[in-house]
Each structure stands twice: as C-alpha cells, then as structure tokens.
Amino acid sequence: MATPALAQPATPPPVTPPELLPPSQEPAPGLAPPSVPPEAAPLPPERDSSRPAAPPQPSPRPLPSPSPILIDDISGDTALASPAAEATDEARPTIETGAGRVLATPNLAGSLGLLRTSAAATGAPGSWRLGMRGEYASGESFLIKGDRNRRLAGNFAFATSLGESIELWATLLAISNHNERCVSSDDCRPEPERVDPPFIRSFGDLVLGGKFARTAATDLALGVEGGLKLYSANDSLGFDADATSGFITALGSFDFRQRAAFPVVVNANLGFVVDNSRHLDQFEELGESLINSRAVAGFAYGQALSRWRAALGLGAPLGRRQGGAGFTPFVEYQIERVVGDFDPAFAAYASPRCDTPAGRGCSQQRVQHRLDFGARALLAGGFGFDAAAEIATGSVGHAFGPPLPTWNLIFGFHYAFDPAQNRPIVRTVTVERVVERQVVPPLGYVGGRVLDSRDGTPVAAAIIDVVGGTRARVATDSDGAFVTKGLAPGFVDLEANAPGFGLQAVRAKVELHETTAIEVRLLPMPAAPPIPTAPVAVPTAPVSAAPTTTGGVSLESGRLIWKRPIEFAGTPVAPTAELTAPSRALLDDLVVLLRQHPDAGRVRVDTHWDNGIPREAALALTHSQANAIAQHLIGAGLAPERLVATGHGSTRPKVPNLGPQSRSRNRRVEITLSR
C-alpha cells in the first residue's frame, strides 16, 4: 500500500489574506471577545467561499496645531502654559471665573521678572502691578581711603499688561547717599577742600519701558523690552535732556516644569544700555583738583557709561496654585562691560579698593559683575514680599563709572491686581468631539487548503482547530480553502479533521499582519477490521493505577512504557519508512493494551530524525514514518479519531547533534497518550 504524506510544506494555491477586522469585530487585548462572524463560526458544516471585502483602515487623526501660550508669571506664580490640545471642531461658550488667572510681580526696574532679570512674559491680560523696593549698602574706605559711605535707594513701580503679549511700566527712583571722610584716622575733621555735601539726594528719576513677548514652544518664550531713563536736573526743574539714557534687551525664558516636571524657571537677558548720566556731573569743571568730590557725587547719582549687559536668573516656584500662597527662592548673575570713553581725570586715581586681593575698583577695570541670592513670598490676594542679598564679585574702575558696593541688601513689597479675578468671564472655547477607536491588535493568520492525500482533491467541511485556542475553529470551503482567525505571532499547532479521514496535526509560523500559507493532506481511514466474535472484556470501572503490561508495552499511571524502541529498516545514511517486524509486533501490543483501556486517551505519534540528511529530506522521511505507524495502528483496530501522527524532521533534536551517539538519540519515535 502506498504511503501517503502528511502535512507537506508545499506551496499551495494563492490564498486571499484575511482583512484586519475593525475594532468592533476584533477584540483588543484584555477585552471580552465579540460575537463571532459567520465565516468564523465554530464547527460549521460548510461556509461560503466568498471573502468579505476589507473594511477601510481608519486614517490617523491629524494632530491639532498648537495655539498661542499665555505666560502668566515666570517669576514664581506660574509657568509657561501648555498649548491647547483641542482641535477646532465645535465652538461653544463656556464660563470661567478669574480665580484661575495667576497674578505676576515686577522686578526692580518695573518689568515682570525676578530682581535684576526680566522674564519673557507679560502677565494676565488687563492686570496691573505695584512694587515698592528699597536698597541699603554700607562700607568703609569704599570710595576714598578712610571714608564711610552709606546709601539708601528706593523705587516705586507700576506695570500693566495689554493683551497677551504687551507690558508697559513706569518706575520712579530716589536715592540718598551719606559720605563721611576724615583727614586721618586720628583726626576726623572734614576735608578742607571738600565741595560735595555729606548728604546727596536725588529724587524724581523716571524709567519708562515696554515689553513684547510671545511663546515659541511649550516650555520656551522669547521677547524684547526697551525703554528710557529720564534724570531729574540738578540745577533746574524737570528732567535733564542731555542725560536721558535708553536700553534695549532681548529676553528668553525656559520652564523646566513643562518638560521634566522640575520646578525651575530660567530667565536669560542680553542687552545694551546707552548711558548719558555723566552729563549730570556738576563738579566736572573742577577737574582733578577735587577728584574725591567727583568720585562721591558720581556714585551718589549713579553716573555711568554705555555698556553691554547680560544676566541669568533661576527661580524655583513652590506651592503657587491659582492665587494661593507660594514661595520662590532664586539666584541671579549679572555681568556688564563698559564701552564708553575713559575719563582721564581718574587716570591716576588710587581707589582704596585696589588694595584688596581681587583688585576690584582699579582704574583700568571695564567689567563688573554681581551675584544675587533671594526669595519671594507670594500671599493670597495678590500681596507679596521679597528680600535678597547682592554681592559684588567685580567692579569697574572710577574712570568707567562708579564702583559697586561690596554688598547690597534689597527688600520690597508688591501687589498685583486682576480686574477679572472675582467676576465670571464668558469665553468661547473650541472643543473637539473625539471618537475613540480601538487599535487593531497585532495579529497574524494561517490560511491554505485541505486536500485528500490520495488524489489531491479538495476536502470540504474539514475542521481546522487551533490547539489550545478558544473559539478558534474554522471550516474549509467547498474548494478546501480556509483562513484562521487572528493569532498571536509565533509558532502555532493546528489539527485538521474531516469525516472519513484521520486527524492530521501540522505546525505553522504566524507572521505579524500576514497570512502564512500551508497545505494539509488528510489520510483516508482504512476499512475497519472484522469485529471478533469472541466477547472482549471491557472494564467498566476507570483505569486502575496499577501497571498493566501487554507484550512489549505497559501502561503505568497514564504513561506508556516501552521495552524496546520502534525502529525502521535501513541505515542512518539510507533510511526508510518500513517498520521492522519487532516494531510491528510492538504496535499490535499497543492496540491490544488500548482496547483494555478505552478511556486511556488519544494516541499521539511524533517521529524525529537527526541532521545527517538535508532538512527537507528529513521532514519528508519522518512524515512517511509517521504515516506508516498510523496506518499500522488503524489496520490493527485503533479508531482513527484516537490517533494524531506528525513528522518533525530534524527540527526538534533531543540533544545537540555532536556525534554518532547524540544523533542516534535524535532518531526516535515518541508514542504518548493525551487527554
């Protein structure tokens, strides 16, 4: 009798790959399985061979474009707001209260920021701010050797926000300086030729400025500010037009809370100051004869030269939430480089600070820099306080402007008000109606045809079952074609069965979003052997746990124990699928044993070979060997539905193929029982 092949990996006729089911039909992981469509119903006798058209795949929803970001306060109240996540789909009016709008605080100049640095922010639209701050510095042998100098400065600032990008402010300045100097440390009589008064006061200097800032990214804002500084005249009413100065500064603010959830906001400034305050020098005509008076007056009035200015500020807003209390520690660093002309009157001036180790304040020094440490307390209702200590880490010489005091204390009070804080605001907000779509799960498919191994004709209504799967059976069409439901990628074991044919097992590899094509050939069941007339004792009780032996095979605790292996004629180099006589006798013993234990389960036959022959040849050989064993068992009286036979070739070695002994262990037949 010719030996038919089992599941051959031959190329089948083209199979239409299954279409990915829409989310309503293909369950996502973790969801309950949906109703089974007709073409995947379990155990249908026959199904329509037509394939449903693939539903159109949903196109990705376009992301909404980011909307402008309103930066309410980089200085401690809030940060860069996240861009709007809604796409324009439907507009509806909503009502919100102003309580959610955060108030901002001004810096020393009046612009929104920390103390010396400005933020690329403008505050809530329509809000306004007040700030009152003072500075106190004191030192001995500071301007002149043996002197004692104390300075108290203050300012009053008003700022308002126009729209979402513009801020305007005005700051009024006042300074009082007291300088005492003695002829010697033992004799503290006034300097005989001194013409500057011990007290110099300046009131009414005015700073006017404006700022424009916009959001560049979720956590980055950029802007520019500029303004004028008007000095009150020393000898007349009004302002000294010749001393009027100006400034322009580029601004950048970065909020680490938006990207890294780190409570730090950075302000970076770079600008240029056009300073004409030297025109206020009322002792200039005295020349070098009264150089001490010029040095004190220049410091008291803040007379300086044009300069480049750069500053960096870091603030850590803590606890501020929609008008509540908060605390912001901060640190700032500022550096300036003078570009104006050298004042020859101070060429030989020996500042007492030149004797310090750092040599700060010497005549040729053009660069000055300082460091601020402070904190800001924000209270409910828009009130707040701040305090800071400023340390001069380098100062210009008198020829390029007044030196910086070694230390300077800064303290202040501020208040912010938002007219919309306590009244509802009707605002039209664009919202998006979103339809949630389940993601198509990552699955693959197995498809192909089931054929009669004798003549290759299609087998209709054959059942393809996924071993271990749930609701995974499908039936072949009239042309023998089938496609499984979606399966997870990887290897899967299938079993094919049809009326009049034996059960056939096959293994296939499932690829993601693809259909793996296979061909399954079923063995027809031979005619059943004559039923013996002698009665056969069939136990009615369950199988006993005690060992049962029949010839060369025994059954112990549900396992088959073989006295010798199943072997085939031939050699390892020239193998065959012909059972040896002792092996056929062993299989006959197995059938007798299973008749005595009808509830022992199904018989599974797995044949294997080594890698001594090509892979395809080994697979075909083991298929033929599995066929030979299956046909002998069926011919001896084993019911076909209790039998599964599979040839694996050299794909499942028991041990590595490293030598003759290991290869002999891999050439094996495994016959087991399964429930």
Side-chain angles (χ1 to χ4, degrees):
M1 180 173 60
T3 302
L6 291 181
Q8 300 289 342
T11 304
V15 178
T16 303
E19 306 294 343
L20 296 180
L21 297 177
S24 60
Q25 299 181 25
E26 189 69 42
L31 300 179
S35 59
V36 180
E39 61 271 25
L43 298 176
E46 186 171 338
R47 70 177 182 182
D48 187 4
S49 61
S50 61
R51 300 293 179 195
Q57 295 297 318
S59 59
R61 177 170 58 89
L63 296 175
S65 58
S67 60
I69 303 172
L70 171 63
I71 311 168
D72 284 334
D73 185 16
I74 300 297
S75 64
D77 287 340
T78 188
L80 308 181
S82 298
E86 298 86 1
T88 303
D89 183 72
E90 177 181 350
R92 69 175 76 167
T94 60
I95 297 179
E96 64 177 22
T97 63
R101 293 161 53 124
V102 185
L103 301 174
T105 51
N107 61 11
L108 284 174
S111 169
L112 190 153
L114 294 173
L115 286 182
R116 298 287 184 185
T117 59
S118 297
T122 57
S127 62
W128 53 267
R129 296 163 289 283
L130 298 176
M132 292 179 288
R133 289 187 175 86
E135 301 180 53
Y136 178 76
S138 175
E140 296 183 358
S141 292
F142 169 53
L143 299 172
I144 303 169
K145 186 175 182 179
D147 75 339
R148 180 185 181 188
N149 196 88
R150 289 172 293 174
R151 185 184 68 180
L152 181 65
N155 66 59
F156 177 81
F158 171 82
T160 184
S161 300
L162 304 179
E164 297 183 353
S165 304
I166 299 177
E167 180 189 22
L168 301 177
W169 71 87
T171 304
L172 192 63
L173 308 176
I175 297 176
S176 177
N177 189 79
H178 183 205
N179 181 266
E180 300 176 285
R181 54 185 184 267
C182 305
V183 175
S184 66
S185 58
D186 298 329
D187 182 10
C188 195
R189 289 173 295 146
E191 188 179 74
E193 299 180 354
R194 177 174 182 172
V195 296
D196 61 294
F199 287 93
I200 296 180
R201 299 177 178 88
S202 175
F203 302 101
D205 294 347
L206 181 64
V207 178
L208 301 175
K211 178 196 298 183
F212 177 84
R214 296 287 291 178
T215 299
T218 303
D219 42 17
L220 176 66
L222 302 176
V224 62
E225 69 178 12
L228 298 175
K229 186 174 183 179
L230 308 177
Y231 290 90
S232 58
N234 292 327
D235 53 2
S236 63
L237 295 176
F239 299 105
D240 189 332
D242 293 335
T244 299
S245 304
F247 62 91
I248 185 169
T249 306
L251 312 174
S253 295
F254 188 87
D255 189 353
F256 285 92
R257 294 174 294 179
Q258 296 296 319
R259 189 180 300 269
F262 188 61
V264 171
V265 180
V266 179
N267 298 330
N269 299 170
L270 177 63
F272 186 78
V273 180
V274 179
D275 199 322
N276 299 314
S277 58
R278 280 279 176 99
H279 289 281
L280 296 172
D281 192 350
Q282 55 183 329
F283 305 109
E284 183 176 6
E285 67 278 2
L286 300 178
E288 300 181 13
S289 60
L290 296 176
I291 195 66
N292 289 347
S293 294
R294 291 190 61 186
V296 173
F299 175 80
Y301 291 126
Q303 298 168 354
L305 297 177
S306 299
R307 57 199 178 274
W308 286 99
R309 176 181 177 272
L312 185 68
L314 282 76
L318 304 174
R320 186 68 167 173
R321 291 294 184 273
Q322 295 190 354
F327 179 74
T328 304
F330 60 86
V331 60
E332 294 178 303
Y333 175 76
Q334 176 180 298
I335 183 170
E336 295 178 326
R337 189 183 191 282
V338 174
V339 297
D341 295 333
F342 179 87
D343 189 344
F346 288 92
Y349 182 73
S351 170
R353 302 187 71 181
C354 287
D355 298 331
T356 63
R360 296 172 299 183
C362 296
S363 59
Q364 301 301 318
Q365 181 67 25
R366 283 179 173 267
V367 178
Q368 65 183 13
H369 32 95
R370 47 192 165 190
L371 194 63
D372 298 338
F373 300 91
R376 170 171 294 163
L378 302 170
L379 308 179
F383 294 92
F385 301 88
D386 47 32
E390 186 174 75
I391 301 174
T393 55
S395 181
V396 298
H398 284 275
F400 294 101
L404 295 176
T406 304
W407 57 266
N408 187 34
L409 298 181
I410 304 172
F411 47 89
F413 160 84
H414 43 81
Y415 172 75
F417 176 76
D418 187 352
Q421 190 75 14
N422 298 315
R423 62 180 175 84
I425 304 171
V426 179
R427 177 179 295 177
T428 300
V429 180
T430 58
V431 297
E432 179 189 12
R433 293 173 296 187
V434 179
V435 178
E436 295 294 336
R437 298 181 182 273
Q438 297 179 355
V439 179
V440 177
L443 301 175
Y445 304 85
V446 177
R449 300 181 67 188
V450 178
L451 306 175
D452 189 328
S453 62
R454 295 170 297 185
D455 52 11
T457 58
V459 178
I463 303 302
I464 308 298
D465 192 7
V466 179
V467 178
T470 303
R471 304 179 65 184
R473 292 184 177 181
V474 295
T476 60
D477 297 327
S478 58
D479 59 352
F482 72 93
V483 175
T484 65
K485 294 185 64 177
L487 302 172
F491 287 97
V492 63
D493 291 316
L494 306 175
E495 292 181 348
N497 193 12
F501 293 88
L503 187 67
Q504 178 62 55
V506 64
R507 166 167 284 204
K509 185 177 182 181
V510 180
E511 302 289 350
L512 180 62
H513 295 163
E514 295 183 4
T515 298
T516 301
I518 64 172
E519 183 180 278
V520 182
R521 292 180 175 266
L522 297 182
L523 292 170
M525 289 191 301
I531 300 176
T533 57
V536 178
V538 179
T540 57
V543 177
S544 172
T548 303
T549 303
T550 302
V553 61
S554 61
L555 179 64
E556 298 181 8
S557 301
R559 296 176 63 245
L560 294 175
I561 307 299
W562 301 84
K563 293 184 178 181
R564 57 181 180 273
I566 302 296
E567 296 177 337
F568 296 89
T571 64
V573 180
T576 69
E578 180 182 353
L579 287 164
T580 62
S583 296
R584 290 195 295 271
L586 279 175
L587 296 178
D588 293 337
D589 293 340
L590 174 61
V591 174
V592 174
L593 180 64
L594 294 178
R595 285 177 178 174
Q596 297 174 3
H597 299 278
D599 56 348
R602 301 168 70 180
V603 178
R604 183 174 187 90
V605 178
D606 296 281
T607 55
H608 307 268
W609 204 254
D610 61 18
N611 64 349
I613 60 177
R615 182 184 181 91
E616 294 77 7
L619 187 60
L621 171 65
T622 54
H623 282 169
S624 299
Q625 292 175 342
N627 276 340
I629 296 174
Q631 291 184 6
H632 187 91
L633 292 175
I634 294 174
L638 183 65
E641 60 269 15
R642 295 185 63 185
L643 180 62
V644 178
T646 308
H648 300 281
S650 58
T651 61
R652 297 185 181 182
K654 192 173 184 179
V655 295
N657 291 287
L658 300 178
Q661 293 183 352
S662 60
R663 289 193 178 94
S664 65
R665 295 182 61 185
N666 291 329
R667 298 189 297 269
R668 67 194 187 278
V669 175
E670 298 173 342
I671 301 179
T672 56
L673 298 177
S674 62
R675 295 289 180 180

